[in-house]
Amino acid sequence: MAFSGALTLSDLNDFISPSQACIKPVEMAKTSETQGAIKVDDTGSYYEVSQDGSETKLETATISLNDCLACRQTNDPTKHRTVVISISPQTRASFAAKYKQTPLQVARKLTWFFKNLGVHSVFDTSFSRDLSLLESGREFVARYKNAVKKGTIKSPTTNESVPTSSEGGDMDVDVQQDVKATKAPRKRIIRRGVAGASDEPAVAVETESAMPMLASACPGWICYAEKTHGYILPYISETKSPQQIMGSMVKNHFGTQLGLNPDQIYHVCVMPCYDKKLEASRSDFYSDLYRTRDVDCVITSTEVEKMFSEQGQTDMIAFGEVNLDPGYNSVIKDPITGADQVLVGASGNASGGFLEYVMQYAAKELFGIDGIDVDKGLGVEVKTVRNADFREVTLQLPGASEPLLKFAAAYGFRNIQNLVRKVKTGKSPYHFVEVMACPSGCINGGGQLNPPGDNHATVPLKDWIGLADQQYRNSVMARKPEENPVLKQLYEEWLGGVDTPKVKQQLRTGYHAVEQNLINPLAVKW
Amino acid sequence: HQDRVWCAAWHPTKPILATCSGDKSVRIWQATNAEDPTQWQCTNILEGGHKRTIRSVAWSPDGRQLATGSFDATTGIWERDEEENGDYECVATLEGHENETKSIAWSKSGALLATCSRDKSVWIWEVEEENDFECLSVLQEHTQDVKMVAWHPNEELLASASYDDTIKIWKDDDDDWYCSDTLQGHEGTVWAIDFSATGEELISASADQTLRIWRRFKPNNSMGIVPTRRGEPIWKCVSVVTGQHERCIYSVSWSKCNGLVVSAGADNTIRLFTVGPVSEDATGRLTEEQQKTLNDPGVLLEAQCVTKVKNAHGTSDINSVAWYPNEEHGDWLASGGDDGS
């Protein structure tokens, strides 16, 4: 780019602003106490010239990609720790799709693989997800009730022409999946409207009654919201994600049962994306007392695959199989075949099923409506709006003029944009939105396995996602979170009840807007 | 204007010009006498809508709205009050880009608006009721600052030019927008692009001091050019205009009524070209056989410089040139420069 002679220094101000400063602290030992000068030699290396004239070469500060992704403190490898690994069902599905196994086989093989490496226990985050779902449901119902009390939302009038109490099983509304209408040529719509949205929302929002409630399990979404849309943080659910709940459970419950302190356990999670590494490294999930994190390390599906080759074992089909560990696994004895173990889990799509569960739970708790199944389209209307990554799910009584509950799922950046804009201007018609950063959701996370060979030349991405998605649902029996027998125990023994301070401490979290510091480069003292 | 003029845009139907500037304002100009291009008066000033430089301005195809793209990362939509000499007010603000918005463009139907930014992304918005704009797509395939976006004159096809030396063609496939083709060849930032009247050709201006003309080849064309991987029309460079500009070219405009091309940039000169098929004795043409193997149509068009205006804005860079959009004043040309005029 050639600059013309007329460019002046002051122009720089308008073109380029410095990017957000990296927050990694650079540890540099000060080489001398006294002030020295800095000199640069021909090769561009920096030397500190101390008072007596001697020169010490200064190390260049380096930030590795690993640092950026993990941003974790260096752990002392000499301290022996009990290793626990928690695997996500999306990872399981990814392996099942690629290696053509069933998810149960994958779980058993991964358990065998990790145990051979000396891992103590292998768990399944579907288990902790039950807690996350349950808590999300509870949080939503509490918020809804508060919002009604406050008057920010109107409770739909219940004296409409309501069918008798047998509505439960009778609400078999046909699944209405609207395929996107054939495209008419786009026409311009002009209306004289009100002036555009003002910069900041006028009224401060309180989390305990903020509507809509936005799902919190996706760290990609959380990081983006904290960085760019601080005003939306009060709307986000305070329930921890399945990964972090597993972290709390492993360190503060499982560990106690083994007689170990949290810092004597090394907890690894296997996840479908890289953003989960950022989530694990949040200071909210760090214990000052034991100087340890709830989740010490996150690896992705592809990183596990790399471990296979590092161990010289690339043929997963040839792996051994062992029973899954008792404890935090979602397995029961198969009622049909009598086999020792069959996988169970909450129904819902491959991004965790938050929308499905909260809808079903809220319908029951708030309106006494039973038998809702979003997956099967029972009792609710499911619509695809705009594009495949934006769905609306509405609970409306026949003959009613207003829906009882209106939920949505918004995946992918462009849909997040539209959602955030609507919430900001107060025009969002939803009570709950499941937000995911990746198009198609977690099953298509950045760390999921790729097809063998040259990526997507042979298997188009849409098909590949479809395969993994199929495997996700494959041979996993549906079980509602409240039917998980261990959960009841956990609430009673570990948490001391359903609404105790310990519940808040272990299962809930908070968010922090990132301050944008736009430094004027000319004002910085060099 | 109190600062450099970044962009000049003609109203689609009336002899009205909008210019935007580093002084954070937009000025609307009307000819005092409809036939005389030499006398202009400033009828409106749009201020207070943006916190930083306004880098680009564009009229909607029906002339009722004006979009402004600013370094404050937002795009403003302005409308004029009902009465004849009403003021313009900002009726909507499109947010979302992470940093400076560089260019905005309305599609032919006026139902879509494209914006691009230094954050390397191109956003496509759909116009909804009551001045609500919904984000249809966020396209992040450029590897550097995106300098300009331009819509095809007839179809819903978008082109974007970037600091990464490429031009990308974007299309819609029901669910999302995707990059249909990437035009490589420039050796420097591509600053500006414009389509020909039919939309079969695209001209681009670059920091490498050349203009390039690209032509679209549909599948099964007579020259045997292979289509894109998805089997779609592919764009190939059919002309390179070198040796004319002595510095970066910042703007290019292809008249939709008389076919002339105007370009200007850092060498302070405005140049006019006619574009026509290559004359018989052009050297460097590949034989038919060679063409087929290289999948390159060779040089098919050439641009002849017919006139130039040196130091059109004195010693200042010229940032924008724009042809009058229709035959009514087809020979009128607007230019905006660093001298604030």
Side-chain angles (χ1 to χ4, degrees), chain A residues 14 183 188 196 386 418 421, chain B residues 52-53 65 110 133-135:
Chain A
D14 215 5
K183 297 222 304 209
R188 194 99 198 290
R386 288 232 145 254
N418 289 326
R421 209 179 59 247
Chain B
R52 286 178 68 186
T53 293
Q65 290 181 325
F133 285 72
E134 175 146 341
C135 174

Side-chain angles (χ1 to χ4, degrees), chain B residues 295-312:
Chain B
N295 210 15
D296 182 348
V299 179
L300 296 181
L301 293 174
E302 61 177 7
Q304 302 263 15
C305 181
V306 293
T307 187
K308 56 187 178 201
V309 182
K310 282 197 180 164
N311 297 326

Side-chain angles (χ1 to χ4, degrees), chain A residues 73-123:
Chain A
Q73 298 181 329
T74 45
N75 289 307
D76 183 355
T78 59
K79 253 185 5 180
H80 172 72
R81 303 211 269 171
T82 308
V83 183
V84 172
I85 296 196
S86 304
I87 307 180
S88 70
Q90 291 83 4
T91 297
R92 201 170 60 195
S94 192
F95 276 97
K98 182 160 183 182
Y99 292 93
K100 302 196 177 34
Q101 311 265 290
T102 66
L104 179 60
Q105 281 175 313
V106 169
R108 291 163 64 86
K109 291 192 164 150
L110 286 177
T111 309
W112 172 86
F113 178 76
F114 287 123
K115 292 261 170 147
N116 275 348
L117 294 177
V119 170
H120 181 277
S121 292
V122 180
F123 293 146

Side-chain angles (χ1 to χ4, degrees), chain B residues 99-335:
Chain B
N99 42 47
E100 296 81 2
T101 307
K102 297 296 174 101
S103 166
I104 58 199
W106 298 87
S107 69
K108 168 148 197 262
S109 62
L112 299 177
L113 182 67
T115 63
C116 67
S117 158
R118 180 166 72 82
D119 67 8
K120 308 174 198 164
S121 68
V122 173
W123 291 46
I124 301 186
W125 305 81
E126 183 164 36
V127 185
E128 307 241 299
E129 302 170 347
E130 296 189 9
N131 290 318
D132 193 19
F133 285 72
E134 175 146 341
C135 174
L136 282 189
S137 197
V138 177
L139 304 162
Q140 290 167 317
E141 288 192 46
H142 274 294
T143 53
Q144 294 288 357
D145 189 352
V146 188
K147 298 292 185 185
M148 185 161 174
V149 278
W151 288 96
H152 190 277
N154 304 311
E155 302 160 28
E156 273 183 359
L157 185 135
L158 183 70
S160 60
S162 166
Y163 182 39
D164 67 11
D165 304 354
T166 69
I167 300 160
K168 285 186 182 277
I169 306 289
W170 308 92
K171 281 183 170 176
D172 177 12
D173 79 347
D174 258 357
D175 192 60
D176 204 357
W177 288 74
Y178 65 96
C179 176
S180 161
D181 201 359
T182 301
L183 281 50
Q184 292 167 315
H186 274 298
E187 286 158 19
T189 302
V190 186
W191 281 102
I193 44 181
D194 197 9
F195 283 92
S196 65
T198 59
E200 291 303 312
E201 282 93 18
L202 175 74
I203 192 165
S204 55
S206 165
D208 66 7
Q209 302 167 18
T210 70
L211 297 168
R212 277 177 186 254
I213 306 182
W214 312 78
R215 176 178 279 175
R216 176 163 68 173
F217 290 88
K218 300 208 161 70
N220 300 322
N221 54 77
S222 56
M223 296 190 74
I225 309 283
V226 172
T228 68
R229 214 178 190 198
R230 287 172 73 135
E232 292 180 354
I234 195 167
W235 293 77
K236 292 280 181 188
C237 181
V238 295
S239 184
V240 181
V241 182
T242 63
Q244 296 289 335
H245 280 281
E246 290 148 22
R247 282 198 168 156
C248 294
I249 313 173
Y250 289 137
S251 178
V252 66
S253 175
W254 202 330
S255 173
K256 306 291 184 284
C257 41
N258 58 35
L260 288 173
V261 167
V262 62
S263 63
D267 62 0
N268 317 341
T269 310
I270 297 178
R271 288 184 169 76
L272 262 69
F273 299 85
T274 50
V275 178
V278 161
S279 46
E280 290 288 329
D281 57 356
T283 53
R285 278 207 82 171
L286 301 169
T287 63
E288 281 218 25
E289 283 310 315
Q290 283 176 312
Q291 277 178 10
K292 291 222 165 88
T293 42
L294 286 186
N295 210 15
D296 182 348
V299 179
L300 296 181
L301 293 174
E302 61 177 7
Q304 302 263 15
C305 181
V306 293
T307 187
K308 56 187 178 201
V309 182
K310 282 197 180 164
N311 297 326
H313 283 260
T315 54
S316 301
D317 287 3
I318 302 163
N319 297 316
S320 170
V321 281
W323 281 111
Y324 198 84
N326 57 49
E327 281 93 21
E328 206 186 317
H329 299 286
D331 51 354
W332 286 12
L333 181 63
S335 65

Side-chain angles (χ1 to χ4, degrees), chain A residues 1-7 11 13-18 180-181 183 186-199 224 227-229 231 386-389 413-415 417-418 421-422 424 427 454 457 462, chain B residues 4 6 51-53 60 62 64-65 71 79-80 82 90-92 95-96 100 106 109-112 118 123 125-138 156 163 172 174-177 191 247-248 250 317:
Chain A
M1 241 169 69
F3 287 105
S4 72
L7 182 71
D11 296 359
N13 209 6
D14 215 5
F15 300 155
I16 298 170
S17 43
K180 195 150 180 270
K183 297 222 304 209
R186 278 189 251 258
K187 285 182 303 180
R188 194 99 198 290
I189 307 166
I190 288 261
R191 292 260 192 94
R192 295 261 158 208
V194 203
S198 53
D199 265 357
Y224 176 65
K227 184 172 158 220
T228 326
H229 298 289
Y231 54 82
R386 288 232 145 254
N387 57 66
D389 278 328
F413 195 54
R414 58 190 167 144
N415 290 315
Q417 283 306 310
N418 289 326
R421 209 179 59 247
K422 289 243 158 78
K424 188 181 187 186
K427 289 198 202 149
D454 79 343
K462 279 203 170 101
Chain B
R4 59 168 42 85
W6 277 114
K51 301 192 185 98
R52 286 178 68 186
T53 293
S60 63
D62 60 8
R64 283 207 256 173
Q65 290 181 325
F71 279 179
E79 263 178 13
R80 198 176 187 194
E82 293 286 336
C90 183
V91 297
E95 299 176 331
E100 296 81 2
W106 298 87
S109 62
L112 299 177
R118 180 166 72 82
W123 291 46
W125 305 81
E126 183 164 36
V127 185
E128 307 241 299
E129 302 170 347
E130 296 189 9
N131 290 318
D132 193 19
F133 285 72
E134 175 146 341
C135 174
L136 282 189
S137 197
V138 177
E156 273 183 359
Y163 182 39
D172 177 12
D174 258 357
D175 192 60
D176 204 357
W177 288 74
W191 281 102
R247 282 198 168 156
C248 294
Y250 289 137
D317 287 3

